Amino acid sequence: MGQHILIFPILLPMLTALGLVLMGQAPNALQRRISIASTALLVLLSGILLVTANSNVISVYNLGDWQAPFGIVLVLDRLSALMVALTAALALGCIMFASAGDDARGSNFHGIFQLQLMGLNGAFLTGDLFNLFVFFEILLLASYALLMHGGGKARIGAGLHYVVLNLVGSALFLIALGVLYGATGTLNMADMGRRIAQMEEANAALVTAGALLLTVVFSLKAAILPLYFWLPSTYASAPAPVAALFAIMTKVGLYALLRVQTLVFAESPAIVYIDAWLWWGGLTTLLLAGIGVLAARDLRTLVAYLVLVSVGTLMSGAGMGHISGTGALLYYLVHTTLIAGALFLLAELIGLQRGKAGTRLVRARKLHQPTLLGGMFLIGAVAMAGLPPLAGALGKLLLMQAADSAQRLWLWPLLLLAGLAAMVALSRAGSVFFWASYKGTPSGPRITPLQLSGVTWLLISAPLLVLLAGPVSQYTQATAEQLASPQQTIQTVLPEANVSEFALRAERNH
């Protein structure tokens, strides 16, 4: 039983989705109970996997007992366990919020939601690039349906752009896999990393081409400049619980970039270009997203640009190319994903009580519950802008400390300016929503217990990540150290492989 637990994060949402679809027109209340219970169970399961990974043991699950590199393999290390746990925690807040009524605006919401969780968990646990592509397609198919849930002209228009861009990305992904398979003869990530490390430099040109193509694909998923223009309109038009869940989608791209950067292409000549792309692309994304934050005239768009600010910050951390930078970015990643999700949900609650003005930054009717909404908005704004004493400030401080002297010249001013832009924009939004003169009388719906539970579940991460800063940062730092030693993963996935040459090269580079 213990060895099979590794596949449960994929099986549980898959079976739940199948059951919900087969139930057809079952009452909404029953579907909600099943979906919430399954997601809560996923949180528990991901907690067990997190504890398992924290023992510094890498676990491997060979489906059908077919051994790597020929069979389908799942790998649990610190990074994959962290991402599965983060996905489960975010999803629980989203599904509680959606169960207050957003799920009833279309059909099969809960089944598609669970299918999306299956794709996300599969992408984080798979050990080979082809199945990464398969799980990408599963989560993208589910995201297309979730994005258009409830219909509407703006939603369908943004959804169409999203679908077309991702189809282009999928086509490039397949081409990159073909190039890499032709050059290395394998798609297992550990095996590919081992073979590339042993490859003669004269044969490395094809690998470099495949690596750069794959970097472009994952950068599109992560929404790094210049591949981010689809994100603000898409996220701003999505249903609130879907937009909140999409906060993890850009992190899937970042996860894939970290995985290929540290395991597959760590010993390839392409690593120099990948590091440079992440560093400069991240900084430029940070700069332009900060401008976008100031220019936003709608709270949903503003939060979408704040997601891009976090993307730029995280990519800059990945582009530093050393352990302390990776450890810092992983701490910041947990914080920013949960708080961005909370802000999308909170924007919906504010918009519902403002009548036709919705989330636009204009004068509107008085809110029904200004104290409650204002308190939650203040916590979310302080956390997202990176102000003390919440986790955003700590995450940014860790990243700034991790930068070396040359990197600080670029990172520090841009990170501080982006934080200032976020603070100004959120202060302006808060002033309009809670302090401006009002017109009309309150008439919007009051917050339901499920909506309040969903937002609170995500917002509480901001103080919790400060209270648990020691163990959390120790975990993320240990994760970065594990990523920097890919020979451990290769030896675990391919016990018969000779990793001595790889280890020697890695040792030389460190």
Side-chain angles (χ1 to χ4, degrees), residues 371-405:
T371 306
L372 177 60
L373 286 172
M376 289 193 294
F377 183 81
L378 179 64
I379 295 171
V382 168
M384 200 66 187
L387 297 176
L390 298 180
L394 193 54
K396 287 186 177 181
L397 182 63
L398 290 172
L399 276 165
M400 291 168 75
Q401 284 180 335
D404 62 32
S405 54

Side-chain angles (χ1 to χ4, degrees), residues 41-256:
L41 189 57
L42 189 61
V43 172
L44 181 65
L45 189 60
S46 64
I48 296 172
L49 294 180
L50 207 56
V51 172
T52 304
N54 198 31
S55 62
N56 208 31
V57 173
I58 295 177
S59 306
V60 175
Y61 186 81
N62 297 303
L63 270 75
D65 208 24
W66 286 87
Q67 302 299 309
F70 306 107
I72 297 173
V73 61
L74 303 179
V75 181
L76 179 78
D77 61 0
R78 287 177 178 273
L79 180 59
S80 55
L82 178 69
M83 298 306 293
V84 169
L86 181 59
T87 302
L90 178 67
L92 184 58
C94 296
I95 199 64
M96 284 193 289
F97 188 96
S99 296
D102 285 279
D103 56 343
R105 295 179 183 174
S107 57
N108 296 321
F109 177 87
H110 292 285
I112 300 168
F113 188 92
Q114 294 296 328
L115 201 61
Q116 172 109 30
L117 294 185
M118 173 199 165
L120 287 165
N121 290 341
F124 293 137
L125 288 171
T126 185
D128 68 82
L129 286 173
F130 182 73
N131 282 296
L132 181 63
F133 170 79
V134 172
F135 284 117
F136 263 33
E137 293 308 301
I138 292 172
L139 71 90
L140 286 173
L141 283 172
S143 70
Y144 300 153
L146 287 175
L147 178 59
M148 299 188 193
H149 177 76
K153 186 178 176 182
R155 194 166 292 170
I156 291 174
L160 186 62
H161 295 156
Y162 179 72
V163 170
V164 171
L165 274 172
N166 278 292
L167 286 177
V168 172
S170 298
L172 291 176
F173 198 166
L174 274 181
I175 294 171
L177 291 185
V179 170
L180 289 169
Y181 185 76
T184 64
T186 183
L187 287 175
N188 181 284
M189 286 191 266
D191 194 33
M192 190 179 287
R194 179 181 67 91
R195 294 190 186 201
I196 289 174
Q198 295 170 348
M199 188 175 285
E200 295 297 327
E201 291 187 7
N203 300 325
L206 205 55
V207 170
T208 301
L212 296 182
L213 200 51
L214 213 52
T215 302
V216 171
V217 174
F218 294 151
S219 297
L220 176 65
K221 310 293 184 190
I224 188 172
L225 189 86
L227 304 169
Y228 78 42
F229 294 104
W230 57 272
L231 190 143
S233 61
T234 302
Y235 281 29
S237 60
V242 175
L245 183 65
F246 279 12
I248 193 74
M249 294 283 275
T250 52
K251 280 66 179 186
V252 180
L254 173 67
Y255 167 85

Side-chain angles (χ1 to χ4, degrees), residues 179-338:
V179 170
L180 289 169
Y181 185 76
T184 64
T186 183
L187 287 175
N188 181 284
M189 286 191 266
D191 194 33
M192 190 179 287
R194 179 181 67 91
R195 294 190 186 201
I196 289 174
Q198 295 170 348
M199 188 175 285
E200 295 297 327
E201 291 187 7
N203 300 325
L206 205 55
V207 170
T208 301
L212 296 182
L213 200 51
L214 213 52
T215 302
V216 171
V217 174
F218 294 151
S219 297
L220 176 65
K221 310 293 184 190
I224 188 172
L225 189 86
L227 304 169
Y228 78 42
F229 294 104
W230 57 272
L231 190 143
S233 61
T234 302
Y235 281 29
S237 60
V242 175
L245 183 65
F246 279 12
I248 193 74
M249 294 283 275
T250 52
K251 280 66 179 186
V252 180
L254 173 67
Y255 167 85
L257 283 167
L258 278 177
R259 192 61 84 188
V260 298
Q261 180 194 26
T262 57
L263 176 60
V264 180
F265 304 121
E267 300 305 316
S268 150
I271 193 63
V272 178
Y273 304 112
I274 294 174
D275 283 348
W277 166 262
L278 293 177
W279 173 249
W280 293 111
L283 291 178
T284 316
T285 304
L286 191 57
L287 175 65
L288 292 192
I291 296 172
V293 164
L294 290 173
R297 292 292 180 268
D298 184 285
L299 182 57
R300 283 169 162 269
T301 308
L302 169 57
V303 179
Y305 273 106
L306 288 172
V307 170
L308 287 176
V309 168
S310 71
V311 167
T313 307
L314 294 168
M315 290 300 172
S316 304
M320 287 180 193
H322 51 69
I323 292 174
S324 52
T326 307
L329 84 85
L330 290 175
Y331 179 91
Y332 185 73
L333 182 149
V334 176
H335 149 78
T336 191
T337 304
L338 297 175

Side-chain angles (χ1 to χ4, degrees), residues 377 381 422-432 435:
F377 183 81
M423 189 169 59
V424 169
L426 288 166
S427 300
R428 184 185 58 185
S431 300
V432 171
W435 290 337

